[in-house]
Amino acid sequence: MFDIQKLIRPHLLHLKPYASARDEFKQNADIKADVFLDANENAMGSVSKYFHNRYPDPLQKDVKICLSENFNYILKNEIKSNEFVFSPNNIFFGNGSDEPIDLLIRLFCEPAKDQIMICPPTYGMYEVSANIHNVGIKEIALNSDFQLNIPEILKNIDQNTTQNIKIIFLCSPNNPTGNVLKTQDILDILQKTNENSSAIVVVDEAYIDFVDNQCMWLSQLHTYKNLVILRTFSKAWGLADIRLGMAFGDELLISFLNKIKPPYNINQHTQETALLALKQWQRKDNFVAELLEQRIFLENELKNLPVIEKVYPSDANFLLVKVKDANKAYQFLLKNGIVVRNRTNVKGCENCLRITVGTFAENNEIISCLQDYAD
Ligand SMILES: *Cc1c(COP(=O)(O)O)cnc(C)c1O
């Protein structure tokens, strides 16, 4: 049986969290309060034309209830799974998904002692967050097909009494490579770490909306209590500006994240925007369909260009491409007013550019620009 207490930093097990004014008083059925003199807010109003004078709900209950209802609908009707009922208590919201990444490291990793495991080339924030906290980084590079090196990963988990690897970060679909990681590989890691409570496994699903089977790992949360799933409103939902990231996990694990988070980490405007967005799930799915159509178009056009040596297969809203000289191609595009992500300095992505799928007009612009480019 997985025992989270073995992994949490000992001094956080009994941490007394900050109790905010809005934590202390909870609106309930018996008492209907309407005079709030508990939080030193400006009762007169707000300098903003919007009413920003009140502190937001510290636990974002309304958004969590709405999101969990959506997931339960999907789990029950689309993947016919009755095993797991998703509760608002399985959800943590962060200021972007970068906040849960940071909080997970704070919760489990002792500075100058513990490590995280990452599988590069991958998303850069795991490493940055670990560095901020003086937490070690065990790198097990992806294979040449950008899949996990399972024998090496399992070997390191076996040696974990000396390695102190507390969190394994897996990104699927992976950024910047674009591919999903093999299900069986992730299962192997989950099983091994779950049975001896040796590590938390984080599956970062920032790009999951662009994949067919979106609930594979959500439906496993009840089986693997060491599994944490990250998602975000920044990509498919088109809400990068509201800074709302999600972490899903076992209720006990989520309760510890709530204890260590900044009390009012999600502002009211963000909560309201997210709630409205969740009621328009179909609009998000329509965006995804359009973007996937554009990705196919962009991929086919790029493949025909002499400058492009390779377009890597993508399960996300971007394409990783290999060129002869990425720095030169990057500068050329920039001179023409087109900004892409130069990943040439990332190990395993030498001479690669990451191109986000744009509108039809934008995609045509980068294609015609690259047609004029000679290496
Ligand atoms: C974009 C991205 C995120 C984070 O996004 P937020 O805007 O902080 O929610 C997380 N993981 C990966 C892999 C990403 O590409």
Side-chain angles (χ1 to χ4, degrees):
M1 258 266 288
F2 177 73
D3 181 7
I4 194 178
Q5 321 251 350
K6 284 190 185 157
L7 289 177
I8 289 179
R9 292 165 72 192
H11 77 287
L12 293 178
L13 277 172
H14 305 290
L15 177 84
K16 194 163 162 277
Y18 175 73
S20 68
R22 291 295 131 79
D23 276 327
E24 200 176 275
F25 169 75
K26 288 199 179 75
Q27 193 80 257
N28 62 51
D30 302 332
I31 307 165
K32 268 274 161 268
D34 53 11
V35 179
F36 288 97
L37 304 176
D38 58 343
N40 299 346
E41 297 147 335
N42 183 345
M44 307 291 175
S46 181
V47 171
S48 161
K49 68 175 167 170
Y50 306 102
F51 287 93
H52 284 313
N53 51 328
R54 297 293 180 183
Y55 280 102
D57 174 3
L59 290 172
Q60 312 94 27
K61 282 182 294 296
D62 294 344
V63 196
K64 285 179 183 172
I65 289 168
C66 186
L67 183 58
S68 57
E69 281 170 358
N70 273 304
F71 278 145
N72 283 327
Y73 180 86
I74 293 169
L75 288 169
K76 219 168 130 215
N77 293 285
E78 288 181 22
I79 65 168
K80 313 278 178 226
S81 159
N82 285 316
E83 286 173 83
F84 176 50
V85 180
F86 210 87
S87 137
N89 297 331
N90 294 113
I91 304 175
F92 177 86
F93 285 128
N95 185 340
S97 31
D98 292 343
E99 187 172 40
I101 292 170
D102 177 87
L103 291 174
L104 284 164
I105 291 176
R106 288 197 211 198
L107 183 59
F108 295 107
C109 300
E110 209 59 68
K113 173 170 171 265
D114 291 335
Q115 302 202 80
I116 64 163
M117 183 192 283
I118 60 171
C119 303
T122 193
Y123 186 52
M125 274 313 286
Y126 318 132
E127 185 175 353
V128 172
S129 272
N131 283 335
I132 290 171
H133 296 298
N134 194 22
V135 161
I137 298 158
K138 180 83 201 175
E139 292 190 17
I140 312 274
L142 296 175
N143 296 327
S144 56
D145 60 352
F146 295 141
Q147 288 297 331
L148 297 165
N149 181 346
I150 286 298
E152 205 46 40
I153 292 173
L154 296 184
K155 196 176 89 191
N156 275 276
I157 297 171
D158 278 336
Q159 297 164 349
N160 216 1
T161 39
T162 50
Q163 298 248 39
N164 297 319
I165 295 165
K166 290 294 174 62
I167 309 176
I168 300 171
F169 284 97
L170 306 173
C171 189
S172 182
N174 188 36
N175 178 5
T177 62
N179 59 298
V180 290
L181 302 175
K182 287 183 195 150
T183 303
Q184 188 56 50
D185 288 354
I186 299 181
L187 272 178
D188 288 348
I189 296 170
L190 271 172
Q191 260 148 13
K192 188 149 215 149
T193 49
N194 187 276
E195 66 197 22
N196 57 6
S197 304
S198 59
I200 298 293
V201 177
V202 177
V203 180
D204 187 339
E205 296 191 329
Y207 300 97
I208 197 68
D209 305 86
F210 301 100
V211 173
D212 280 338
N213 181 3
Q214 292 174 16
C215 287
M216 173 61 216
W217 298 115
L218 270 190
S219 66
Q220 300 301 308
L221 280 176
H222 66 300
T223 312
Y224 300 104
K225 297 202 186 301
N226 64 328
L227 170 63
V228 176
I229 296 164
L230 299 179
R231 291 192 179 185
T232 179
F233 283 89
S234 298
K235 311 284 158 65
W237 288 92
L239 293 169
D241 169 64
I242 71 167
R243 308 305 305 130
L244 191 60
M246 306 163 252
F248 309 129
D250 179 57
E251 291 194 12
L252 186 59
L253 189 153
I254 296 297
S255 74
F256 276 103
L257 288 179
N258 284 332
K259 274 190 184 178
I260 66 168
K261 81 183 183 76
Y264 299 110
N265 60 330
I266 309 297
N267 68 64
Q268 185 62 23
H269 176 74
T270 293
Q271 295 189 36
E272 282 169 15
T273 307
L275 198 55
L276 281 175
L278 287 172
K279 291 176 179 159
Q280 305 173 74
W281 200 283
Q282 188 58 45
R283 275 195 79 189
K284 185 263 291 179
D285 287 344
N286 294 347
F287 273 132
V288 168
E290 267 182 85
L291 286 163
L292 290 181
E293 204 177 292
Q294 284 305 309
R295 188 185 77 202
I296 293 168
F297 166 72
L298 185 63
E299 184 178 358
N300 289 335
E301 295 293 317
L302 288 170
K303 275 181 176 160
N304 289 331
L305 295 175
V307 52
I308 306 290
E309 293 189 351
K310 180 167 184 168
V311 182
Y312 291 90
S314 171
D315 300 298
N317 66 339
F318 59 84
L319 291 167
L320 188 73
V321 301
K322 199 179 191 85
V323 296
K324 200 163 115 216
D325 185 340
N327 290 332
K328 205 172 139 200
Y330 175 80
Q331 287 304 330
F332 175 81
L333 285 168
L334 207 53
K335 271 200 213 98
N336 287 277
I338 298 169
V339 191
V340 297
R341 191 92 153 110
N342 185 358
R343 299 280 73 189
T344 192
N345 292 327
V346 174
K347 202 162 154 274
C349 294
E350 291 78 14
N351 283 317
C352 286
L353 301 175
R354 194 193 68 194
I355 305 172
T356 306
V357 175
T359 62
F360 181 60
E362 289 170 334
N363 297 333
N364 273 309
E365 212 169 306
I366 189 169
I367 291 157
S368 70
C369 182
L370 285 172
Q371 269 161 354
D372 300 334
Y373 174 77
D375 261 318

